[in-house]
Amino acid sequence: MAFGVKIKNIKTKNPYTIESFFDAIKDKEFTAGTPSLTKHGGATIITFPALDSQNQVWIMKSGFGKETQKFSIQKSNEAGLDKVAKNAAIDSLTGGLFSLGGMVSENTKKCEKLVDTTAKEISEMNL
């Protein structure tokens, strides 16, 4: 992990769209919580409940095309356009100190562990 970024890449046995991948995992109980489909800008991603506005586990489709066997599980800020605007405003008001908090807090360490755990849990599903 470097500068508040944690990413684990996984490869599935079968190709999936982000929506069909969500359907394949939505009923599993994850340590990170219950997954949801979330619109984030022009993309649809899978998110787990945010620990705070700077720490959330995301699953994103990797590669080009509608279907893929590659997905990235990562620690990121809370997803959603309303969240992006709010976090940017707070960061601007604090002169960048808000973003720094996302790299060193207790929730940051917890979220990094949840990225690893989520990748392991999905890999064990043999999708």
Side-chain angles (χ1 to χ4, degrees):
M1 204 221 49
F3 302 110
V5 177
K6 172 79 176 195
I7 299 173
K8 291 293 250 189
N9 295 308
I10 60 167
K11 186 174 180 184
T12 59
K13 291 180 181 179
N14 302 303
Y16 295 92
T17 64
I18 194 72
E19 293 83 5
S20 64
F21 190 67
F22 172 74
D23 286 340
I25 68 167
K26 69 181 179 186
D27 295 325
K28 178 172 178 21
E29 289 189 34
F30 289 92
T31 304
T34 303
S36 302
L37 274 178
T38 304
K39 284 286 195 189
H40 188 70
T44 300
I45 59 176
I46 299 169
T47 59
F48 292 86
L51 301 178
D52 58 34
S53 61
Q54 297 173 309
N55 293 287
Q56 184 176 41
V57 176
W58 292 13
I59 300 175
M60 297 178 63
K61 180 177 82 74
S62 297
F64 299 102
K66 189 164 176 68
E67 292 186 336
T68 186
Q69 291 176 273
K70 296 178 182 178
F71 293 87
S72 296
I73 302 167
Q74 65 185 49
K75 173 202 164 302
S76 195
N77 288 335
E78 191 173 8
L81 288 179
D82 57 330
K83 310 292 191 236
V84 172
K86 181 185 116 191
N87 287 347
I90 293 171
D91 202 42
S92 178
L93 288 171
T94 62
L97 292 176
F98 178 73
S99 290
L100 185 60
M103 293 186 260
V104 296
S105 73
E106 184 69 29
N107 278 344
T108 299
K109 292 175 185 173
K110 184 176 180 181
C111 194
E112 290 168 5
K113 289 178 183 173
L114 287 173
V115 168
D116 291 331
T117 303
T118 303
K120 183 177 185 251
E121 291 170 343
I122 290 174
S123 294
E124 289 171 350
M125 292 177 74
N126 293 316
L127 301 172

